[in-house]
C-alpha cells in the first residue's frame, strides 16, 4: 500500500519533496506535506502559515491548522492520531494518507470545492466541530512536549550516551588493567616455578652427589614389562626354595649320621661295660654268675630297641618341628623380601610419577574451577531468567495500568462529550425556542398593532378605511415592518437612531410600492 501511495504522491500530486517507502513516516511527521496535499486540492487556504521545521511548535501549528480540513473531509483524526504521526509510529502516516486518498478521490468525482463542502454542512454539526477543534488543540498541546523539554531530553540523552561510552571505556581500561595484572601474576608465577625447578634440580644434584659419595649401587637393567618382573620373581622364589630344600636335606642326613654313630658308640660302650662287669662278677663270686645266667639277653635287647625307637621318634618330632619353624621363617623372610621389593618398586614409580601427580593436581584444580564457573553460570542464568520474568510481569502490569488509565480517560472523554453534546443540544433547543418565541411574539405584536390601528381608524372614520392605506398596512405587515410610527424623522439628525432608520426604511418601501403601483396603473386602467 505504501508503494501505491508514494507513486500517487510523486506522480499525480507532485509534492515539493519526493517520498519513498523508507522515509514515508519521517517526511509526514512534521505535517507540512499533509498541508501541502490539502493545498493542492484547494482545501487548505492558510498553507502559507505552515512550517517545514521539525520542532515541536511547528508540528503543533501544522497539525492544529489541518484538523478542521480533515474533519470537513470526514477523515478520522484526533490528538492520538496526530501524536502517533509526530512520533513516527509504524503505519500511522500510511493510514491517514490512505484515508485522505479515498476522501480526495470522492471529492474529485463529486466536483465539490472546499467552500461548497463547508456550506453543505449543517450549522449545528459545524458548531460542534468548532468546539471539538478547540478541545483538540488544547489536548494536542498537552500531548506534544515542548521543544525546550525535547532539547533538554536530547542533551540529557547525549550526556547519557557519553557517560555510557565513558563507562564502557572505563570498563575496557579496567579489563586491560586486569589482563595486565593477570599477565604479570602469571609471569611472576612462571618465574617462581622456574626458580623452584632450579632449586629442586640443585637439591637433586646435591643429593645425588651425597649418595654417590656414600655408596655407589649399580642400577639394575630396567624391566619394561610386568611379565618380565613376574617371571623374575617366580624364578627367584624357585631358586630360594630349591636351595632351602637342599640345605634341609643335607642337615637331616648329617643329623641322622651323627645320631646313628652316637647310638652305636653308646651301645658298644654299654656292652663293653656289661661284659667287664660280668667278668668281674664271675671272678669274684659264683652267686652273681648264677643270677646273670638266669637274666635273659632277649629282654635286655628288647628294652634297648624300644628305647632306640623312642629316641628316633622324639628325634623325628624334633626334626619336624625344626623344619616347620624353618619353613615359617622362610615364608616370613619371603614376605619381608616381597614387601621390600614392592616398597622399592612403589618408590621408583612414585619418583617417576611426581610430574604426573603435579599434572593431576593441576587438572583437579582446573576441574574444580570449571565446576565453580559452571555453577556460577547456572546461578547467573537463573538470576537473569528471574529478572526477565520480573520485567515482563512489570511490563504487563504497566500496560494493564496504562490500558485501565486510557479506558478511564476515554470514559471521562466520552462523558464530557456527552455532557457537551447535551449542553449544546440544550442551547440549540433554547435558541430555537427563543427564536420561535421572538418570531411568534413579533407576529402577534404586528397583528395586535394592525388590529388596533384598524380599530382606531374605524372609530375615527366611522368604519371606513381608505383602500390605499389598508394596502400599505398589509404590505408593512407582510414585510414585518411596524405599523405605528417609531420615531420622528423630521428633522433627521446626522446620526439617526435605529427607530429612525426603521422609519426611513418604511418610507422607502412605501415609496417604492407607490411607484410600482403608479407604473402598473395605466395597464390596469387600459
Amino acid at each position: 500500500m505504501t508503494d501505491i501511495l508514494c507513486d500517487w504522491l510523486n506522480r499525480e500530486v507532485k509534492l515539493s519533496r519526493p517520498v519513498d517507502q523508507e522515509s514515508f513516516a519521517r517526511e509526514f511527521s512534521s505535517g507540512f506535506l499533509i498541508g501541502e496535499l490539502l493545498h493542492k486540492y484547494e482545501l487548505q487556504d492558510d498553507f502559507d502559515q505552515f512550517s517545514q521545521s521539525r520542532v515541536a511548535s511547528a508540528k503543533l501549528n501544522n497539525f492544529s491548522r489541518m484538523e478542521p480540513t480533515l474533519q470537513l473531509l470526514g477523515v478520522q483524526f484526533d490528538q492520538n492520531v496526530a501524536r502517533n504521526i509526530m512520533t513516527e509510529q509504524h503505519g500511522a502516516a500510511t493510514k491517514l494518507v490512505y484515508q485522505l486518498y479515498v476522501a480526495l478521490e470522492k471529492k474529485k468525482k463529486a466536483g465539490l470545492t472546499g467552500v461548497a463542502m463547508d456550506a453543505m454542512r449543517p450549522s449545528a454539526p459545524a458548531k460542534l466541530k468548532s468546539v471539538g477543534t478547540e478541545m483538540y488543540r488544547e489536548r494536542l498541546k498537552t500531548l506534544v512536549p515542548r521543544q525546550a523539554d525535547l532539547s533538554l531530553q536530547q542533551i540529557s540523552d547525549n550526556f547519557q550516551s557519553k557517560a555510557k561510552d565513558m563507562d564502557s571505556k572505563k570498563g575496557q581500561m579496567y579489563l586491560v588493567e586486569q589482563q595486565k595484572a593477570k599477565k604479570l601474576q602469571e609471569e611472576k608465577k612462571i618465574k617462581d616455578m622456574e626458580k623452584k625447578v632450579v632449586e629442586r634440580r640443585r637439591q637433586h644434584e646435591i643429593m645425588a652427589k651425597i649418595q654417590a659419595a656414600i655408596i655407589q649401587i649399580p642400577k639394575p637393567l630396567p624391566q619394561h614389562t610386568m611379565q618380565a618382573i613376574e617371571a623374575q620373581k617366580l624364578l627367584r622364589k624357585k631358586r630360594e626354595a630349591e636351595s632351602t630344600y637342599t640345605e634341609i636335606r643335607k642337615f637331616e642326613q648329617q643329623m641322622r649320621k651323627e645320631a646313628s654313630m652316637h647310638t652305636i658308640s653308646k651301645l658298644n660302650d654299654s656292652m663293653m661295660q656289661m661284659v667287664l662287669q660280668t667278668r668281674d662278677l664271675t671272678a669274684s663270686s659264683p652267686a652273681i654268675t648264677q643270677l646273670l645266667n638266669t637274666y635273659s639277653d632277649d629282654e635286655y635287647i628288647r628294652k634297648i630297641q624300644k628305647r632306640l625307637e623312642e629316641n628316633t621318634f622324639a628325634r623325628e618330632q624334633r626334626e619336624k618341628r625344626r623344619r616347620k619353624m624353618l619353613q615359617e621363617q622362610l615364608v616370613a623372610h619371603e614376605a619381608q623380601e616381597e614387601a621390600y621389593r614392592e616398597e622399592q618398586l612403589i618408590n621408583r614409580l612414585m619418583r617417576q610419577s611426581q610430574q604426573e601427580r603435579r599434572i593431576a593436581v593441576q587438572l583437579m584444580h582446573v576441574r574444580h574451577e570449571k565446576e565453580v564457573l559452571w555453577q556460577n553460570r547456572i546461578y547467573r542464568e537463573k538470576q537473569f531468567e528471574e529478572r526477565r520474568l520480573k520485567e515482563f510481569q512489570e511490563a504487563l502490569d504497566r500496560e494493564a495500568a496504562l490500558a485501565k488509565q486510557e479506558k478511564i480517560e476515554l470514559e471521562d472523554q466520552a462523558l464530557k462529550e456527552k455532557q457537551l453534546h447535551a449542553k449544546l443540544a440544550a442551547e440549540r433547543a433554547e435558541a430555537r425556542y427563543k427564536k420561535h418565541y421572538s418570531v411568534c411574539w413579533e407576529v402577534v405584536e404586528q397583528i395586535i398593532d394592525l388590529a388596533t390601528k384598524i380599530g382606531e381608524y374605524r372609530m375615527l372614520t366611522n368604519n371606513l378605511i381608505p383602500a390605499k392605506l389598508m394596502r400599505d398596512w398589509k404590505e408593512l405587515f407582510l414585510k414585518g415592518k411596524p405599523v405605528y410610527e417609531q420615531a420622528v424623522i423630521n428633522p433627521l439628525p446626522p446620526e439617526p437612531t435605529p427607530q429612525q432608520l426603521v422609519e426611513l426604511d418604511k418610507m422607502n418601501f412605501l415609496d417604492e410600492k407607490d411607484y410600482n403601483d403608479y407604473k402598473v396603473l395605466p395597464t390596469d386602467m387600459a
Side-chain angles (χ1 to χ4, degrees):
M1 182 185 292
T2 309
D3 295 335
I4 298 171
L5 293 175
C6 290
D7 185 66
W8 172 63
L9 293 171
N10 293 327
R11 290 188 180 182
E12 294 184 14
V13 181
K14 295 181 181 179
L15 297 176
S16 59
R17 291 198 301 268
V19 294
D20 54 3
Q21 188 174 1
E22 296 179 356
S23 63
F24 193 87
R26 185 174 180 276
E27 293 294 338
F28 281 92
S29 62
S30 64
F32 179 78
L33 292 183
I34 301 174
E36 186 179 0
L37 176 61
L38 296 173
H39 179 65
K40 292 281 186 181
Y41 281 86
E42 299 178 355
L43 292 173
Q44 197 71 36
D45 297 333
D46 55 350
F47 178 67
D48 54 346
Q49 298 181 10
F50 276 64
S51 176
Q52 297 187 19
S53 178
R54 293 187 178 276
V55 297
S57 58
K59 291 182 179 179
L60 185 62
N61 174 58
N62 295 341
F63 280 93
S64 298
R65 292 184 178 279
M66 73 173 69
E67 193 268 342
T69 308
L70 295 176
Q71 295 294 341
L72 180 63
L73 289 172
V75 177
Q76 294 180 358
F77 186 78
D78 55 3
Q79 63 273 6
N80 295 323
V81 178
R83 181 183 60 183
N84 294 335
I85 296 173
M86 289 181 191
T87 55
E88 300 180 12
Q89 294 290 333
H90 180 69
T94 305
K95 183 178 179 181
L96 180 64
V97 174
Y98 176 71
Q99 291 177 356
L100 280 174
Y101 170 73
V102 174
L104 291 173
E105 288 297 323
K106 288 182 179 179
K107 171 187 170 297
K108 187 177 180 181
K109 289 180 181 179
L112 297 174
T113 60
V115 178
M117 293 175 67
D118 193 8
M120 290 172 62
R121 286 196 305 174
S123 59
K127 188 174 181 180
L128 183 62
K129 291 295 182 182
S130 64
V131 176
T133 302
E134 294 298 328
M135 294 173 63
Y136 159 79
R137 289 178 181 175
E138 294 298 328
R139 290 176 181 173
L140 189 62
K141 286 179 183 179
T142 58
L143 289 176
V144 177
R146 296 182 302 171
Q147 185 62 32
D149 296 338
L150 293 175
S151 301
L152 290 174
Q153 184 67 28
Q154 187 175 5
I155 292 168
S156 64
D157 292 340
N158 292 332
F159 276 106
Q160 287 179 2
S161 62
K162 288 181 180 179
K164 288 181 181 178
D165 294 337
M166 291 177 68
D167 292 337
S168 62
K169 288 180 181 179
K170 287 181 180 178
Q172 291 177 359
M173 292 173 65
Y174 181 70
L175 289 174
V176 170
E177 290 177 357
Q178 280 188 344
Q179 290 177 357
K180 286 183 180 179
K182 190 175 181 180
K183 189 174 181 181
L184 291 173
Q185 288 179 359
E186 289 179 354
E187 290 178 355
K188 188 176 179 181
K189 191 183 290 184
I190 291 169
K191 289 180 181 179
D192 294 337
M193 290 178 66
E194 289 178 354
K195 288 181 181 179
K196 289 181 180 178
V197 170
V198 172
E199 290 177 358
R200 286 178 184 175
R201 285 179 181 175
R202 289 177 182 175
Q203 290 177 1
H204 287 313
E205 289 176 358
I206 292 168
M207 291 297 296
K209 288 179 181 180
I210 292 170
Q211 290 178 0
I214 295 172
I215 297 172
Q216 291 183 356
I217 300 172
K219 292 183 180 181
L221 294 174
Q223 298 292 336
H224 297 288
T225 60
M226 295 298 293
Q227 293 179 357
I229 294 171
E230 294 293 334
Q232 192 174 3
K233 287 181 180 180
L234 291 173
L235 182 61
R236 193 181 295 119
K237 287 181 180 180
K238 286 180 180 180
R239 288 177 183 175
E240 290 178 356
E242 289 177 357
S243 63
T244 305
Y245 289 150
T246 52
E247 289 178 358
I248 290 170
R249 288 194 194 99
K250 288 179 182 180
F251 180 76
E252 288 178 352
Q253 289 175 2
Q254 188 176 2
M255 292 297 292
R256 286 173 184 174
K257 288 179 182 180
E258 290 179 356
S260 62
M261 292 295 291
H262 184 68
T263 53
I264 292 168
S265 61
K266 282 183 177 182
L267 287 171
N268 291 326
D269 293 335
S270 62
M271 288 296 290
M272 289 297 292
Q273 288 177 1
M274 290 175 67
V275 170
L276 290 173
Q277 289 176 0
T278 53
R279 286 179 182 179
D280 292 334
L281 289 170
T282 56
S284 61
S285 63
I288 297 171
T289 57
Q290 291 176 359
L291 290 170
L292 288 171
N293 290 330
T294 61
Y295 187 77
S296 176
D297 294 332
D298 295 333
E299 187 178 356
Y300 179 71
I301 291 170
R302 281 197 301 272
K303 290 180 179 180
I304 292 172
Q305 289 178 353
K306 186 178 180 181
R307 190 170 61 186
L308 287 174
E309 288 176 358
E310 290 177 354
N311 290 330
T312 54
F313 180 74
R315 189 169 56 251
E316 287 177 358
Q317 292 295 326
R318 285 196 299 273
E319 290 297 331
K320 286 181 180 179
R321 289 196 295 271
R322 190 183 296 114
R323 283 196 299 271
K324 187 177 181 181
M325 185 179 64
L326 288 173
Q327 190 174 3
E328 290 177 355
Q329 290 180 356
L330 180 62
V331 171
H333 180 69
E334 288 179 355
Q336 186 176 2
E337 290 292 330
E338 184 68 23
Y340 177 73
R341 283 195 297 271
E342 289 180 355
E343 184 178 359
Q344 293 294 326
L345 182 61
I346 288 170
N347 290 330
R348 290 178 184 177
L349 291 174
M350 292 297 289
R351 283 198 298 272
Q352 292 177 2
S353 63
Q354 285 180 357
Q355 188 67 24
E356 294 178 357
R357 283 206 305 274
R358 294 194 193 96
I359 295 170
V361 170
Q362 292 177 359
L363 288 174
M364 291 297 292
H365 184 65
V366 170
R367 185 179 297 173
H368 177 67
E369 290 181 351
K370 186 177 179 181
E371 184 71 20
V372 171
L373 290 174
W374 182 61
Q375 294 292 337
N376 292 335
R377 183 62 180 271
I378 291 173
Y379 180 69
R380 190 164 58 252
E381 290 293 335
K382 189 181 291 183
Q383 286 182 341
F384 288 159
E385 184 68 22
E386 292 177 356
R387 186 181 299 173
R388 283 195 296 271
L389 290 173
K390 185 177 179 182
E391 289 178 354
F392 180 69
Q393 188 64 34
E394 288 178 354
L396 289 178
D397 296 339
R398 188 165 54 253
E399 288 181 359
L402 290 174
K404 187 176 180 180
Q405 185 67 26
E406 187 176 359
K407 184 178 179 181
I408 293 170
E409 290 179 356
L410 290 174
E411 290 177 354
D412 293 340
Q413 183 180 355
L415 182 61
K416 289 180 180 179
E417 289 180 354
K418 287 181 180 178
Q419 292 176 356
L420 179 62
H421 184 268
K423 183 179 178 181
L424 293 175
E427 289 178 356
R428 286 199 304 272
E430 187 178 0
R432 192 182 302 113
Y433 172 77
K434 288 181 179 179
K435 181 180 178 182
H436 293 169
Y437 182 82
S438 62
V439 171
C440 294
W441 181 253
E442 185 179 358
V443 172
V444 170
E445 282 184 347
Q446 291 177 2
I447 292 172
I448 293 170
D449 291 342
L450 182 59
T452 54
K453 191 75 172 178
I454 293 171
E456 289 176 359
Y457 267 82
R458 284 184 184 276
M459 290 175 63
L460 294 173
T461 60
N462 197 13
N463 294 330
L464 293 175
I465 300 173
K468 181 178 179 301
L469 190 59
M470 192 64 184
R471 285 197 301 270
D472 291 341
W473 288 350
K474 287 181 180 179
E475 288 297 330
L476 292 174
F477 175 75
L478 293 175
K479 293 297 182 181
K481 302 296 182 180
V483 178
Y484 287 96
E485 184 177 356
Q486 300 293 322
V488 179
I489 59 174
N490 290 318
L492 185 66
E495 292 183 358
T497 60
Q499 290 82 5
Q500 292 176 347
L501 292 175
V502 172
E503 289 296 325
L504 288 174
D505 193 12
K506 284 168 59 178
M507 290 182 65
N508 293 329
F509 175 71
L510 293 174
D511 291 340
E512 287 180 1
K513 182 178 176 300
D514 292 340
Y515 178 69
N516 291 329
D517 292 341
Y518 176 74
K519 287 193 297 182
V520 176
L521 183 60
T523 58
D524 292 338
M525 291 175 68

